[in-house]
Amino acid sequence: MYITYETAQYSWVNDEEVQCVKPPITIPNDLPKPDFMPTKLVRISDMKVIDGSQVNEGYCTLSYSWNQSGDMVLDKTTGKYKRTDEGKHKIIFYDNIYPDMIIPYHKTFNNMKFNKIYEVFAIMEFYNYCFTKTIKYVKFEGIIQQICQQFNIKYIWYDQLCINQDNKEEKHHEISHMHHLYENAYCTVALVPDFCQPDFALDESKHLYFKRLWTLEEAIKSERLLFVGRNTHQYGDNTRGNVTVLAKSSSELNVSEILYHAHQRTSTNDHDRVFALIHLFPEFIDHEDDPQSFKKLIIRYFCGLFSTKKSINKIRIDYNQPFEDMMNQFYGLLAKKDLSILLFGKNRQYESTIEKYKFLPSWTGVNGHHFVADITTSFQNYDIIGKTMHITTTYVPSIDGDKLTIREEDIRTIPYDINDGGDEQKYRLCILVQLPETNEMKRIALGYYDDYCYLGGNSFSDKISKKFLQLSRFMEVKKENLCWYNKKSDVYRMAASIDFDDLTDNLDDSSAQYVILSEASFKSNEYNHYCYPVIKKEQEGEYYKAIGSCWIESNEDFFSGCNLNKETFLIQ
């Protein structure tokens, strides 16, 4: 694929206006030299690859999709793709750019009236018509040189020129230090060629850049991001769009959040699924087999720190190792680091790129999608042995019970309160249940009266029946304990809300044994929400299958007052 870059670039002036100007000098002239310097760098003035040790100032890095740097041709002999570049990339030079060109812009075009949209497009087309254009066809490095010159970048690192792709030893060494390359760069240029006006906000669901796995790691590890599109750019705090995850560092993201984004992205090589993500967790990387780390081994030896014992918990950057073993090892390390790997649900938000790896155990979320949530847990009583998660926790087992069906007549008529001015939508349908292994009773909210009005009596009854069935798997429920509560009452405000809808299993198998891992709970740092992993007993043997997590909205841990049994569960 060949791309186009225009020297006339749209950028934000303020929250409401966009200006079309030549890119401003956003990169300072004298960048501080970091402690870590790449082995090689590209000097922008002549695009020569030089030794990084010769550079006495800071550098920038490039993050991009290889698919947009030329033609990807399959080598039938090796079965691998190779890039060819026939110089079809296009640079459009504008000779007379008006620096005072201001375009009014609203946060969403959907909120604009038709004539306002027409006005914006008319202004853009007018200025595009007035500009004097010169077109030049170049190779990919010509595009990079033009961008860097306009943004005042003197030295840049990117893999196509700074790594000899045919030298396995060099490639393995450089890939094993990829996190150092990006986290020590002053800025990373994120090349998003399909980002262009009139779209002034980045969208993870639209641009190819956000579909690749390597770019996720590169962006998260970078200190600063400069998004450069065909004719628009965004830098630092002026970035607009659905790219919040890239603004966080890897230390600010839990494993569930990272996998939510990673499992939407692809890689050309299967091994790169691990090698791209592992740089967000550099403590997982085994450097002992790196020949270029020999000096470090000698120093460790003379300092008495050298050990001949091979590290079995870390992963080598080696494309020759068995992929299946490496994937299982990597996800095992993730689970040991952060139990939020269990926070997943039905795969209904995006097309998963990991579900094809059926050899992965269920606790990896291979059959669902992970949650994005600021959520934490203090629970640590678990371990990963091989492909099995051993977790010791209190639990709420499923119970035998009749399948309950709720009809419209089972839902009591809402009491009419003259003091409410007849506002029946202020009512909430709740049920009183007895918690397991305790005499304590709690009320659980099932729905609001506005849902009843919107869905209709029968549909609302079907919705309540589904919740009844789900609740009845874990606690005793009775129709006669249904009751509507007014918004002014304490019951209305204090009732808990339980959501099983995100589980990958519908809980409709009456012969199956389900378990809520009550002690392994997660608490939201933003809301009164708790999350509990749920597992299902396999038909044969002693193993369980992770089927996602249920959410409970409550002012406290819902099961805190229950005298529950504790057991060790084996999850595969």
Side-chain angles (χ1 to χ4, degrees):
M1 181 186 301
Y2 294 92
I3 64 176
T4 299
Y5 175 74
E6 301 182 24
T7 58
Q9 288 275 308
Y10 293 89
S11 62
W12 285 95
V13 178
N14 52 53
D15 287 341
E16 298 296 335
E17 295 177 321
V18 176
Q19 187 174 16
C20 183
V21 296
K22 289 183 179 179
I25 298 177
T26 57
I27 307 302
N29 283 321
D30 299 317
L31 300 181
K33 183 178 180 179
D35 294 334
F36 173 90
M37 289 294 287
T39 306
K40 300 176 183 177
L41 282 170
V42 177
R43 185 171 57 206
I44 294 303
S45 59
D46 55 8
M47 293 304 286
K48 296 293 185 181
V49 178
I50 62 174
D51 193 323
S53 61
Q54 299 177 7
V55 179
N56 293 316
E57 58 183 276
Y59 66 96
C60 294
T61 47
L62 178 69
S63 178
Y64 67 105
S65 171
W66 270 61
N67 291 0
Q68 294 176 319
S69 64
D71 292 319
M72 301 301 293
V73 180
L74 178 64
D75 187 327
K76 295 182 179 180
T77 303
T78 63
K80 298 180 179 179
Y81 283 92
K82 287 194 173 182
R83 183 187 72 99
T84 61
D85 189 343
E86 298 181 3
K88 296 180 181 179
H89 298 283
K90 185 193 299 184
I91 301 177
I92 301 177
F93 295 90
Y94 292 84
D95 300 330
N96 56 335
I97 300 175
Y98 303 102
D100 58 345
M101 176 182 172
I102 303 293
I103 298 176
Y105 179 75
H106 291 251
K107 293 182 178 179
T108 61
F109 279 115
N110 293 334
N111 294 332
M112 298 175 64
K113 295 181 180 179
F114 176 79
N115 61 344
K116 193 68 175 179
I117 298 175
Y118 180 79
E119 177 185 339
V120 171
F121 279 88
I123 293 173
M124 292 178 180
E125 290 301 319
F126 172 75
Y127 276 97
N128 286 337
Y129 178 78
C130 292
F131 292 155
T132 301
K133 301 177 183 179
T134 303
I135 297 176
K136 181 180 179 181
Y137 289 93
V138 298
K139 289 191 174 183
F140 184 67
E141 50 262 39
I143 292 277
I144 303 308
Q145 184 179 33
Q146 180 64 38
I147 292 173
C148 290
Q149 287 175 339
Q150 286 194 265
F151 286 92
N152 198 41
I153 297 173
K154 299 178 184 177
Y155 299 95
I156 197 166
W157 184 96
Y158 70 103
D159 52 2
Q160 284 188 16
L161 292 188
C162 295
I163 299 179
N164 182 352
Q165 302 294 325
D166 296 323
N167 186 322
K168 289 185 178 180
E169 180 181 306
E170 179 180 332
K171 185 176 180 180
H172 291 177
H173 171 76
E174 293 299 315
I175 289 178
S176 68
H177 291 85
M178 200 72 74
H179 56 287
H180 291 311
L181 290 165
Y182 281 88
E183 66 187 3
N184 283 279
Y186 178 83
C187 172
T188 292
V189 178
L191 187 59
V192 191
D194 48 350
F195 177 39
C196 59
Q197 59 90 2
D199 291 331
F200 296 117
L202 291 159
D203 189 342
E204 288 185 348
S205 65
K206 292 174 57 176
H207 306 302
L208 180 61
Y209 176 86
F210 300 108
K211 304 297 182 184
R212 304 295 291 171
L213 201 52
W214 275 108
T215 58
L216 176 68
E217 173 267 329
E218 293 162 357
I220 291 178
K221 296 302 291 186
S222 300
E223 181 72 20
R224 303 171 186 84
L225 287 172
L226 168 62
F227 289 97
V228 177
R230 170 177 173 145
N231 59 5
T232 185
H233 63 274
Q234 297 183 11
Y235 181 60
D237 294 337
N238 287 327
T239 302
R240 304 290 195 276
N242 180 27
V243 291
T244 53
V245 64
L246 303 184
K248 296 182 178 181
S249 67
S250 54
S251 61
E252 296 176 300
L253 297 166
N254 59 44
V255 164
S256 179
E257 290 176 295
I258 290 174
L259 294 182
Y260 170 85
H261 293 277
H263 290 176
Q264 301 178 55
R265 300 188 177 216
T266 61
S267 61
T268 303
N269 187 301
D270 275 341
H271 283 70
D272 283 336
R273 291 210 66 89
V274 173
F275 296 155
L277 284 180
I278 201 171
H279 290 285
L280 298 177
F281 311 94
E283 66 271 24
F284 296 171
I285 302 175
D286 183 357
H287 293 285
E288 291 187 11
D289 286 342
D290 184 355
Q292 299 191 39
S293 296
F294 183 71
K295 290 183 179 180
K296 294 182 179 179
L297 294 177
I298 295 296
I299 293 174
R300 290 172 61 196
Y301 175 79
F302 284 105
C303 291
L305 301 175
F306 180 77
S307 172
T308 57
K309 185 177 180 180
K310 180 75 174 172
S311 171
I312 60 174
N313 291 323
K314 296 187 177 184
I315 295 176
R316 292 176 292 109
I317 304 298
D318 180 2
Y319 284 88
N320 295 320
Q321 60 186 308
F323 170 67
E324 182 174 332
D325 294 344
M326 184 180 64
M327 279 282 277
N328 284 317
Q329 183 184 2
F330 174 67
Y331 277 90
L333 290 171
L334 283 181
K336 284 185 177 183
K337 178 181 178 66
D338 186 356
L339 192 60
S340 72
I341 196 170
L342 290 177
L343 302 186
F344 62 88
K346 285 181 181 177
N347 193 0
R348 57 188 180 186
Q349 293 188 1
Y350 57 78
E351 182 178 351
S352 173
T353 59
I354 195 177
E355 61 183 359
K356 63 181 179 180
Y357 302 118
K358 302 299 183 183
F359 57 81
L360 288 173
S362 63
W363 48 261
T364 62
V366 63
N367 299 312
H369 78 266
H370 283 85
F371 301 139
V372 176
D374 182 9
I375 198 166
T376 54
T377 183
S378 59
F379 182 81
Q380 295 291 329
N381 198 7
Y382 71 99
D383 196 8
I384 306 296
I385 302 176
K387 296 175 62 174
T388 305
M389 176 180 287
H390 297 243
I391 183 167
T392 303
T393 171
T394 59
Y395 64 99
V396 180
S398 57
I399 59 176
D400 296 329
D402 297 330
K403 184 176 180 180
L404 299 174
T405 301
I406 302 298
R407 299 183 298 274
E408 185 175 1
E409 54 266 29
D410 295 323
I411 302 174
R412 298 176 181 177
T413 304
I414 295 178
Y416 181 80
D417 189 342
I418 190 67
N419 296 323
D420 289 338
D423 186 359
E424 295 174 332
Q425 295 187 18
K426 292 182 178 179
Y427 286 88
R428 194 178 192 184
L429 182 63
C430 301
I431 187 170
L432 188 65
V433 301
Q434 182 174 335
L435 297 184
E437 303 301 328
T438 179
N439 293 324
E440 184 180 356
M441 306 288 286
K442 284 192 178 183
R443 287 182 174 84
I444 298 175
L446 301 177
Y448 294 89
Y449 187 67
D450 51 356
D451 292 333
Y452 179 84
C453 297
Y454 176 76
L455 296 172
N458 290 330
S459 297
F460 184 72
S461 300
D462 292 341
K463 179 181 177 180
I464 300 303
S465 288
K466 180 181 179 181
K467 287 184 174 292
F468 247 73
L469 174 62
Q470 294 169 339
L471 285 174
S472 67
R473 296 316 309 264
F474 300 102
M475 55 197 77
E476 185 178 347
V477 294
K478 298 179 179 180
K479 293 181 182 180
E480 53 267 30
N481 288 335
L482 278 169
C483 190
W484 292 94
Y485 290 92
N486 185 282
K487 186 175 182 180
K488 295 179 180 180
S489 70
D490 291 338
V491 174
Y492 182 102
R493 293 187 298 271
M494 300 298 292
S497 177
I498 302 182
D499 185 1
F500 292 100
D501 289 343
D502 255 328
L503 297 178
T504 59
D505 188 291
N506 293 326
L507 303 179
D508 54 2
D509 185 354
S510 58
S511 63
Q513 181 182 346
Y514 299 96
V515 176
I516 298 175
L517 305 180
S518 53
E519 190 178 356
S521 62
F522 290 78
K523 172 71 170 66
S524 170
N525 296 320
E526 299 176 300
Y527 311 102
N528 290 330
H529 289 172
Y530 291 82
C531 192
Y532 302 86
V534 182
I535 58 177
K536 179 183 180 181
K537 184 73 176 292
E538 298 284 16
Q539 291 184 350
E540 298 180 1
E542 58 182 347
Y543 296 104
Y544 286 78
K545 173 183 178 182
I547 60 173
S549 300
C550 69
W551 290 85
I552 300 184
E553 181 181 356
S554 175
N555 292 326
E556 61 181 2
D557 186 342
F558 189 77
F559 301 107
S560 60
C562 302
N563 185 24
L564 300 171
N565 294 325
K566 180 174 287 191
E567 186 174 316
T568 297
F569 297 93
L570 307 181
I571 309 174
Q572 285 191 344

